[in-house]
Amino acid sequence: MKTVKVQDALKQLRSGKLFFRRLLIYGEESYLTEQFLKRISELKSIEKFYADENFDEVFNFTGTSLFGSSPILAILNVEKLNEVLRKKADKERFLKLLSSLDEFILVSMEELDYRKLKSELFSEIQKLVDTVVVSERYSEKAIYSLIKKKFDSAGKKITPEILKLIVETVGTDLRELRNETDKLILYPGDLTPETVKLLLFSSGKVNIFELIFPLLDGDKRKFLEQLETLLSSGGEPLSIIGLLQTQLRQVVSLAGGLQVRLPRDVLQKYRVILQKRSLQELLSILKALHEKEFAVKRGEVSGEDALRSIVFFN
C-alpha cells in the first residue's frame, strides 16, 4: 500500500491514466478531494454512494452500466462507516463486497484520526486498498504562494499587505479563497486594503470559519446574526453543520493532547476555548450537531432551523 499526497495524485492523473485500483482518500482539504474525484470522473465513470444515506443500496452495485462501461464504485463519507455498520455481519458483508471488486474508491471529506484508522473495520479496509491519498491542508506559506501565482497569471498586481489581508479575512479554505480571489481579480482598478475589505464584505460577508467561536463562547445573539448573514448569502446549511463538526473535533483532539495541523492563530483561538469549555461540554455540542444533521437528512427539520436551534444546546 502506497501513500500519496493529493497534490501529487492530481499531477499523476494529468497523464490520463489511473494510478490505482483500490483507493482510500481522506483529509481536511475537502476541496482538493472534490477536485480529485472530478478528475477521475473525467477519465472513467464512477457510481457514487453515501455511507450515511441509504447505505444498503451499495450492495446492489453490479459494476456494469447500460452503456457497456464498468463504473468504479465510489463510497463517500466513509468516516461514518463505523456508525452505519454496527453489527459484525454487516461489516463482514461490506468487506466481502470490497474484496470482490477490482476497483473502488472510498472517500472521507475529513481527517481520519489514528484511532479510527486502527479500528477493526478500517484496519481491514486498509488491507484491501493499494493506495491511500491524503488531502492535507496547504501550509500558510503555500497558500500565499498559490494566491500570488493566481494573481500573477491574471496580470493583476498584488502586494504582500493585500495577500496577508486576504488570508486573514477569508481564511485558508481553498474553496472560499477561490471564490473570493475570483471576485478581486475581476475588479478593474488597483487593489488597496480599503477596496479589498469593501469587496470581500460587499454582501455582508461573514467568515464562515469564525462561526464556531460565538457558538462556543455562548454568545447566542452574535452566533445567530452571523448565521443569518451566511444563510442569506447562499450558505448551505448541511455544509455549515459539517464544518462546525470538523472544527469541534479539532478542538476535542486538542483537548485530548493530539496534534492538530492548523494555522497558528487558529490554534491559539482554540486553546482559548479550552480554557472556557470542558471536554464534556464540547462533546455534548458535537453530539447535538450530529443529531441535527441526521434530523435534517431525515426531513424532520429544515437545515436553517436546525442551525438556529443548535445555539440553544449550548
Side-chain angles (χ1 to χ4, degrees):
M1 182 178 69
K2 60 184 177 181
T3 301
V4 184
K5 289 185 177 181
V6 69
Q7 295 92 333
D8 295 328
L10 286 166
K11 291 177 183 177
Q12 291 186 51
L13 289 178
R14 290 174 189 165
S15 67
K17 296 181 181 179
L18 299 183
F19 60 90
F20 65 88
R21 297 187 68 80
R22 296 173 166 185
L23 179 138
L24 169 66
I25 179 170
Y26 64 85
E28 291 182 310
E29 192 46 80
S30 60
Y31 176 75
L32 290 180
T33 299
E34 290 174 359
Q35 293 302 303
F36 179 77
L37 285 176
K38 180 180 178 181
R39 190 69 57 84
I40 290 173
S41 65
E42 292 171 353
L43 300 175
K44 188 169 182 177
S45 63
I46 60 177
E47 188 169 345
K48 293 182 181 179
F49 296 86
Y50 293 84
D52 54 345
E53 296 180 17
N54 302 318
F55 187 65
D56 284 343
E57 293 179 1
V58 75
F59 295 108
N60 297 323
F61 177 76
T62 61
T64 59
S65 74
L66 295 175
F67 303 100
S69 60
S70 298
I72 301 176
L73 172 69
I75 303 177
L76 282 69
N77 301 339
V78 296
E79 66 274 9
K80 308 282 190 179
L81 281 177
N82 279 320
E83 301 168 27
V84 175
L85 302 173
R86 294 184 179 276
K87 297 179 180 179
K88 184 176 181 181
D90 293 335
K91 293 178 182 178
E92 291 176 346
R93 185 186 182 196
F94 176 65
L95 292 170
K96 184 177 179 180
L97 170 65
L98 293 184
S99 299
S100 70
L101 300 174
D102 291 330
E103 298 175 312
F104 61 75
I105 304 170
L106 305 179
V107 184
S108 170
M109 291 296 183
E110 61 185 51
E111 183 66 39
L112 296 179
D113 62 26
Y114 177 82
R115 284 171 293 186
K116 183 161 286 187
L117 289 172
K118 289 299 180 181
S119 66
E120 181 182 359
L121 178 58
F122 277 91
S123 292
E124 292 301 315
I125 285 173
Q126 290 175 88
K127 293 177 184 178
L128 295 174
V129 303
D130 56 57
T131 306
V132 173
V133 173
V134 182
S135 291
E136 294 182 350
R137 287 192 180 276
Y138 280 106
S139 66
E140 288 184 74
K141 182 178 180 181
I143 290 290
Y144 280 95
S145 178
L146 280 172
I147 297 174
K148 187 175 187 311
K149 183 177 180 181
K150 179 174 181 177
F151 276 79
D152 288 344
S153 298
K156 191 82 172 180
K157 292 183 179 180
I158 187 168
T159 65
E161 179 187 13
I162 297 297
L163 269 173
K164 186 172 186 293
L165 178 59
I166 293 171
V167 175
E168 288 180 346
T169 303
V170 180
T172 58
D173 180 78
L174 293 183
R175 185 182 290 102
E176 285 287 311
L177 283 170
R178 179 197 62 182
N179 295 337
E180 296 306 317
T181 51
D182 283 349
K183 184 193 301 183
L184 296 175
I185 285 173
L186 290 174
Y187 181 70
D190 293 333
L191 291 175
T192 64
E194 292 72 22
T195 302
V196 169
K197 290 176 183 177
L198 180 63
L199 291 171
L200 293 183
F201 289 90
S202 59
S203 58
K205 180 178 173 57
V206 170
N207 186 346
I208 190 171
F209 294 93
E210 296 292 319
L211 189 61
I212 187 72
F213 299 113
L215 175 65
L216 296 184
D217 282 338
D219 191 336
K220 295 179 175 61
R221 176 179 291 183
K222 186 173 182 181
F223 175 84
L224 291 172
E225 287 176 351
Q226 292 189 1
L227 175 62
E228 292 304 324
T229 301
L230 286 170
L231 293 173
S232 65
S233 61
E236 203 283 313
L238 280 176
S239 295
I240 296 173
I241 290 175
L243 175 61
L244 290 172
Q245 289 171 339
T246 297
Q247 291 176 306
L248 258 174
R249 280 191 288 268
Q250 291 168 342
V251 178
V252 169
S253 294
L254 277 177
L258 300 178
Q259 184 177 5
V260 179
R261 297 187 60 179
L262 290 168
R264 286 188 298 274
D265 61 325
V266 175
L267 283 173
Q268 181 58 37
K269 289 181 179 179
Y270 282 0
R271 291 190 178 104
V272 171
I273 288 173
L274 291 177
Q275 296 173 8
K276 304 176 182 178
R277 291 286 190 175
S278 68
L279 179 58
Q280 188 58 48
E281 287 176 315
L282 295 171
L283 290 173
S284 295
I285 299 172
L286 182 57
K287 180 183 178 183
L289 283 165
H290 285 304
E291 290 173 347
K292 290 300 179 181
E293 176 191 15
F294 287 123
V296 173
K297 289 181 176 178
R298 289 193 297 263
E300 297 173 0
V301 65
S302 71
E304 292 83 354
D305 286 342
L307 275 166
R308 294 184 187 105
S309 67
I310 284 170
V311 73
F312 297 103
F313 282 82
N314 193 359

